[in-house]
Amino acid sequence: EAQVTQNPRYLITVTGKKLTVTCSQNMNHEYMSWYRQDPGLGLRQIYYSMNVEVTDKGDVPEGYKVSRKEKRNFPLILESPSPNQTSLYFCASSSGTGGKTQYFGPGTRLLVL
Amino acid sequence: QKEVEQNSGPLSVPEGAIASLNCTYSDRGSQSFFWYRQYSGKSPELIMFIYSNGDKEDGRFTAQLNKASQYVSLLIRDSQPSDSATYLCAVMRGTNAGKSTFGDGTTLTVKP
């Protein structure tokens, strides 16, 4: 089954404790992206990747890191989480740029205390 | 001004009516336009995409794009209660393909 998976689905952590949210897709897609969704602010892009070892900032990259060492994986790293990073996070992938369908993962709900 | 703005909701229509959702964008370099549907507690899923001026139809859904006026709309004909969801407009910039901007979404309720 073609899918984007994220782990963990739910996470409660404390300020400053490094965490990683994993994202994996099994569709051999070149393009992957991370978004956060907050009430009243919609979906905002954090980082995206056009292919292995190619990443770029979205609209809200501060406080986040990403890496793309393999085509299928695109982890999101919060090295020192803060309460304002409490949010719902979505990973997405697509077969190319310029408008191909983005498939979203199930989401990761993060609470930073 | 937000880069992508959607008409404020919530929007409520009776079953069988036409629901009209609107979106405007500020970046004239934008080339790809998308409508996603998101049910409460679920992930967004693509309904339509459009690249060229004019209308694009898919079943009960019609996307309309007017680049000169910088707006894109989604019409849902014969609305069903199952169409009740939040609809997100997204724009992908032509000069930096891969970077996507979403609107805040419009919540649609279709009443039986």
Side-chain angles (χ1 to χ4, degrees), chain A residues 2 8 19 23-24 29-30 32 34-35 40 43-45 48 51 54 56 58 64 74-75 77 81-82 93 97-98 103:
Chain A
L19 67 91
C23 173
S24 182
H29 285 167
E30 295 87 11
M32 298 185 74
W34 276 104
Y35 298 89
L43 270 168
R44 294 179 292 169
Q45 193 175 41
Y48 63 95
N51 214 322
V54 182
D56 207 347
Y64 304 94
F74 190 44
I77 303 158
S82 62
S93 75
T97 60
Y103 296 89

Side-chain angles (χ1 to χ4, degrees), chain A residues 84-96:
Chain A
N84 64 13
Q85 293 178 295
T86 292
S87 188
L88 176 60
Y89 291 86
F90 287 105
C91 179
S93 75
S94 75
S95 60

Side-chain angles (χ1 to χ4, degrees), chain A residues 4-7 9 88-91 104-108, chain B residues 41-43:
Chain A
V4 179
T5 57
Q6 295 178 228
N7 282 293
R9 295 289 313 280
L88 176 60
Y89 291 86
F90 287 105
C91 179
F104 283 80
T108 294
Chain B
K42 300 295 185 181
S43 310

Side-chain angles (χ1 to χ4, degrees), chain B residues 64-86:
Chain B
Q64 300 174 315
L65 174 62
N66 184 322
K67 289 187 177 180
S69 300
Q70 294 176 251
Y71 87 79
V72 57
S73 64
L74 179 70
L75 300 177
I76 306 174
R77 292 182 300 281
D78 188 24
S79 296
Q80 301 297 309
S82 59
D83 295 325
S84 298
T86 295

Side-chain angles (χ1 to χ4, degrees), chain A residues 31 35 37 40-43 45 48 50 57-59 90 97-102 104-106, chain B residues 2 32 34 36 38 42-44 46 49 51 88 92-93 96-104:
Chain A
Y31 172 83
Y35 298 89
Q37 187 171 37
L41 295 177
L43 270 168
Q45 193 175 41
Y48 63 95
M50 311 288 273
K57 296 177 180 179
D59 291 321
F90 287 105
T97 60
K100 299 294 174 57
T101 301
Q102 286 195 72
F104 283 80
Chain B
K2 289 186 176 181
S32 307
F34 309 84
Y36 288 83
Q38 186 176 26
K42 300 295 185 181
S43 310
L46 185 74
F49 62 87
Y51 306 147
L88 303 169
M92 191 170 279
R93 297 162 193 168
N96 192 8
K99 197 169 186 181
S100 297
T101 301
F102 282 74
D104 291 347

Side-chain angles (χ1 to χ4, degrees), chain B:
Chain B
Q1 180 191 6
K2 289 186 176 181
E3 293 185 45
V4 179
E5 295 203 53
Q6 297 186 234
N7 50 331
S8 58
L11 177 65
S12 181
V13 300
E15 184 174 357
I18 296 175
S20 177
L21 303 162
N22 299 315
C23 174
T24 58
Y25 60 94
S26 61
D27 185 352
R28 285 196 172 273
S30 302
Q31 294 186 357
S32 307
F33 308 87
F34 309 84
W35 283 100
Y36 288 83
R37 176 177 62 199
Q38 186 176 26
Y39 292 114
S40 180
K42 300 295 185 181
S43 310
E45 55 179 338
L46 185 74
I47 300 174
M48 300 264 316
F49 62 87
I50 187 167
Y51 306 147
S52 304
N53 278 328
D55 296 359
K56 180 180 179 181
E57 189 174 315
D58 184 1
R60 296 185 296 111
F61 299 96
T62 299
Q64 300 174 315
L65 174 62
N66 184 322
K67 289 187 177 180
S69 300
Q70 294 176 251
Y71 87 79
V72 57
S73 64
L74 179 70
L75 300 177
I76 306 174
R77 292 182 300 281
D78 188 24
S79 296
Q80 301 297 309
S82 59
D83 295 325
S84 298
T86 295
Y87 289 80
L88 303 169
C89 172
V91 173
M92 191 170 279
R93 297 162 193 168
T95 57
N96 192 8
K99 197 169 186 181
S100 297
T101 301
F102 282 74
D104 291 347
T106 300
T107 299
L108 171 67
T109 301
V110 180
K111 295 186 175 180

Side-chain angles (χ1 to χ4, degrees), chain A residues 5 9 11 26 34 41 45 47-48 69 72-73 75 80 99 106 112-113:
Chain A
T5 57
R9 295 289 313 280
L11 179 61
N26 62 1
W34 276 104
L41 295 177
Q45 193 175 41
Y47 271 96
Y48 63 95
K69 299 188 187 305
R72 64 182 293 128
N73 296 322
S80 184
V112 183
L113 300 173

